[in-house]
């Protein structure tokens, strides 16, 4: 069974630009969550999508948005990039958004975004 | 207040020895799950082990075991017979309550280095 696939692996963008990251969950998983990882703030939850609807949201500005397609693939978009948006962005999948508290998330390899 | 605290930024262990990575948590929800993830330099988050708040016994998974002390709110990871490939960042995470699906709260991590 293929794992969570994130593309691209690396991105370099300039301040003010926007960027779109893609995530394909494990086959059969319908929930996709996004996390931002930085050396200063660590791993922080961005949002979760299930059935093409955002089900949960972290404490990030509106420049960070996402969507999910009918095949459960998800994209996240960051508009008007700032230097502080440089981070590893991790996507994780699970069966559904009501996963019992004992089911782990399965993560992809991440997209490393550098904003210059 | 930090929900997940990992007090050891870095640790060294000799190959073939056991090592304990500390994790304390803070929650008022009676239902929660605790997870440990390994993150090699490649960036992928690898799920290691899980402990539920209602579990009576400590979780074990191969060379990994979780020393769960509920009253002290600690969930330490024990790695037995360390291997060179165990060198990585280790994160403790918590899912609070039911229906939180894809939202995990992570600690700051512990960087483990295994010496030959």
């Amino acid at each position: 069974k293929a794992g969570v696939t994130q593309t691209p692996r690396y991105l370099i963008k300039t301040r003010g630009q926007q960027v779109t990251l893609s995530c394909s969950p494990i086959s059969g998983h319908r929930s996709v969550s996004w996390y931002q990882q930085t050396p200063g703030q660590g791993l922080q939850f961005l949002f979760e999508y299930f059935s093409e609807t955002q089900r949960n949201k972290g404490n990030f500005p509106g420049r960070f948005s996402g969507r999910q397609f009918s095949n459960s693939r998800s994209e996240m978009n960051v508009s008007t990039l700032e230097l502080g948006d440089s981070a590893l962005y991790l996507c994780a999948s699970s069966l559904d958004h009501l996963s019992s508290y004992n089911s782990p998330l399965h993560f992809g390899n991440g997209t490393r975004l550098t904003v210059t | 207040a930090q929900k997940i605290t990992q007090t050891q930024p870095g640790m060294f262990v000799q190959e073939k020895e056991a090592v304990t990575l500390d994790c304390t948590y803070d929650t008022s929800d009676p239902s929660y799950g605790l997870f440990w993830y390994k993150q090699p330099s490649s960036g992928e988050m690898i799920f290691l082990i899980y402990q539920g708040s209602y579990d009576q016994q400590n979780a074990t998974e191969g060379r990994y075991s979780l020393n769960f002390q509920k009253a002290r709110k600690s969930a330490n990871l024990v790695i037995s017979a360390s291997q060179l490939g165990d060198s990585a960042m280790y994160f403790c995470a918590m899912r609070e309550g039911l229906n939180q699906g894809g939202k995990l709260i992570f600690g700051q991590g512990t960087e483990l280095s295994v010496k030959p």
Side-chain angles (χ1 to χ4, degrees):
Chain A
K1 208 176 197 181
V4 178
T5 304
Q6 290 188 246
T7 57
R9 287 298 309 274
Y10 302 93
L11 265 177
I12 300 175
K13 290 286 187 179
T14 305
R15 264 184 307 176
Q17 288 185 318
Q18 74 165 12
V19 67
T20 299
L21 313 181
S22 179
C23 173
S24 293
I26 291 172
S27 177
H29 284 192
R30 298 170 62 197
S31 172
V32 174
S33 302
W34 289 89
Y35 287 79
Q36 181 196 64
Q37 185 177 20
T38 60
Q41 298 299 316
L43 279 146
Q44 295 184 285
F45 172 75
L46 280 155
F47 31 63
E48 177 184 17
Y49 285 85
F50 176 80
S51 284
E52 303 176 60
T53 302
Q54 189 179 90
R55 300 290 177 166
N56 208 342
K57 188 178 188 303
N59 189 25
F60 277 82
R63 299 185 298 107
F64 292 82
S65 63
R67 60 176 175 168
Q68 187 180 35
F69 303 94
S70 57
N71 62 357
S72 297
R73 190 178 71 85
S74 176
E75 289 181 347
M76 71 162 278
N77 183 275
V78 188
S79 62
T80 319
L81 283 165
E82 301 176 0
L83 295 179
D85 297 333
S86 294
L88 179 67
Y89 289 88
L90 289 160
C91 166
S93 76
S94 58
L95 283 170
D96 60 59
H97 71 297
L98 296 177
S99 297
S100 62
Y101 59 91
N102 64 352
S103 63
L105 296 184
H106 300 272
F107 285 83
N109 287 332
T111 293
R112 189 165 296 280
L113 172 66
T114 302
V115 182
T116 61
Chain B
Q2 291 286 340
K3 292 260 187 181
I4 296 285
T5 302
Q6 295 181 252
T7 57
Q8 308 150 312
M11 286 196 70
F12 289 92
V13 64
Q14 206 67 35
E15 194 179 7
K16 299 180 185 175
E17 292 186 347
V19 62
T20 298
L21 307 184
D22 295 341
C23 172
T24 57
Y25 60 93
D26 182 27
T27 181
S28 57
D29 199 306
S31 302
Y32 55 88
L34 297 159
F35 303 84
W36 277 91
Y37 283 87
K38 171 184 178 181
Q39 187 178 41
S41 56
S42 59
E44 182 184 6
M45 297 285 285
I46 302 167
F47 166 69
L48 296 177
I49 196 167
Y50 157 82
Q51 183 83 43
S53 58
Y54 299 112
D55 293 343
Q56 297 295 314
Q57 292 189 324
N58 287 343
T60 60
E61 196 69 52
R63 293 187 299 112
Y64 305 107
S65 61
L66 204 152
N67 183 1
F68 181 48
Q69 298 186 46
K70 194 170 182 177
R72 298 178 63 182
K73 293 190 174 179
S74 74
N76 299 338
L77 176 70
V78 181
I79 306 174
S80 63
S82 298
Q83 301 172 355
L84 296 178
D86 294 335
S87 294
M89 284 291 292
Y90 288 81
F91 291 94
C92 178
M94 175 173 65
R95 177 186 284 128
E96 273 185 303
L98 303 177
N99 304 329
Q100 287 299 304
K103 182 178 180 181
L104 296 182
I105 302 165
F106 284 86
Q108 290 297 318
T110 295
E111 184 171 12
L112 178 67
S113 298
V114 180
K115 295 180 179 179

